[in-house]
Amino acid sequence: MKKIFAYLVLFTILLYGCDESSTNGVIQTDGSTNQIAVEVVEVIDGDTIKVKYNGDIEKVRYLLIDTPETNHHTLGKQPFGEEAKQRNKEILKSGNVTIEFDVGNRLDDYGRMLAYVYVDGESVQETLLEEGLARIAYIFPPNTRYLDEFEEASKVAKERSIGIWETDNYVTNRGFNTEVLTNNNAEEKSTTEQCNIKGNINRQGKKIYHIPSGKYYEQTNPEEWFCTEQDAIQAGFKKSGE
């Protein structure tokens, strides 16, 4: 009976490893900060990759960050999603890739491994945050080992208003609000459409402006656009005398 018990203990250690435990089928770790070398097989987007780990192909979801989508079934393609993916790919190609697990769950609800990702010892998550290509998200204790460092990196991008922080309210607590950018583009287009007075400089060097109802408006190639006739006059242009 003792031999059977010993075999069962040995089998459990071999199956889960001495640095892991399993609770309700969810694999957890003991908090080791060891970095494990992996081979990147595919870059799916800015925060998800496929790697060869222990001889198997596994999906890895970056801990504590979220990047805009590139091909989501409902959200579609979000601004800066492709930039985040390409930058992620560029970083991962630049050196040796390792992953590190935190103290909590190793797998998410989709079976993806949750990890911190490094290239030559440098955090990929911190780089993406600092360059304005990711937001801090999915904070589920106890997997929060580098939250303070990540918040500092994100602060740099926010203060510089770069990437996802270029437009106010694009980044939200629930993700990325594409409607903000759509509305801004519509407002810019509306403003451009109102500035429809054409300023032209003829061969004699005379500055002439043409309004939409003018005879030569359609055939005129503008050097400048004006929103009002007063703007054109102040710029030294005279109204076409057709």
Side-chain angles (χ1 to χ4, degrees), residues 181-192:
L181 294 175
T182 302
N183 292 338
N184 285 353
N185 291 336
E187 289 176 5
E188 291 176 4
K189 182 179 180 181
S190 176
T191 301
T192 302

Side-chain angles (χ1 to χ4, degrees), residues 206-222:
K206 292 182 179 181
K207 295 182 176 181
I208 307 295
Y209 72 84
H210 302 260
I211 60 176
S213 59
K215 183 177 179 181
Y216 301 108
Y217 181 83
E218 293 298 332
Q219 65 194 64
T220 298
N221 292 320

Side-chain angles (χ1 to χ4, degrees), residues 119-235:
V119 172
D120 292 339
E122 297 293 326
S123 170
V124 179
Q125 274 109 315
E126 280 193 48
T127 299
L128 293 172
L129 287 166
E130 195 169 280
E131 295 182 2
L133 295 172
R135 70 183 183 103
I136 293 175
Y138 305 114
I139 303 171
F140 300 120
N143 283 346
T144 57
R145 181 179 296 151
Y146 299 113
L147 182 58
D148 290 343
E149 290 87 341
F150 287 4
E151 286 179 340
E152 285 298 314
S154 182
K155 184 179 178 182
V156 172
K158 288 182 187 178
E159 291 177 346
R160 295 172 60 194
S161 297
I162 58 175
I164 60 175
W165 304 104
E166 286 181 5
T167 303
D168 291 341
N169 302 317
Y170 176 52
V171 182
T172 74
N173 291 332
R174 300 182 63 183
F176 301 94
N177 184 9
T178 306
E179 290 184 3
V180 172
L181 294 175
T182 302
N183 292 338
N184 285 353
N185 291 336
E187 289 176 5
E188 291 176 4
K189 182 179 180 181
S190 176
T191 301
T192 302
E193 288 174 348
Q194 291 174 13
C195 298
N196 55 8
I197 297 174
K198 296 180 178 180
N200 177 259
I201 303 175
N202 63 23
R203 294 179 181 177
Q204 289 74 40
K206 292 182 179 181
K207 295 182 176 181
I208 307 295
Y209 72 84
H210 302 260
I211 60 176
S213 59
K215 183 177 179 181
Y216 301 108
Y217 181 83
E218 293 298 332
Q219 65 194 64
T220 298
N221 292 320
E223 272 83 27
E224 294 187 49
W225 289 93
F226 300 103
C227 297
T228 67
E229 290 189 59
Q230 186 61 34
D231 290 339
I233 293 170
Q234 288 180 350

Side-chain angles (χ1 to χ4, degrees), residues 48-64:
T48 310
I49 58 177
K50 283 184 180 180
V51 302
K52 184 175 288 187
Y53 171 80
N54 284 346
D56 295 321
I57 304 299
E58 302 280 359
K59 275 188 180 181
V60 175
R61 179 65 169 79
Y62 291 16
L63 275 168
L64 297 178

Side-chain angles (χ1 to χ4, degrees), residues 2-26:
K2 290 182 179 179
K3 286 185 178 181
I4 294 175
F5 179 75
Y7 285 135
L8 287 173
V9 171
L10 178 60
F11 177 76
T12 301
I13 291 174
L14 291 173
L15 180 63
Y16 293 112
C18 59
D19 64 338
E20 301 173 353
S21 64
S22 179
T23 305
N24 296 327
V26 179

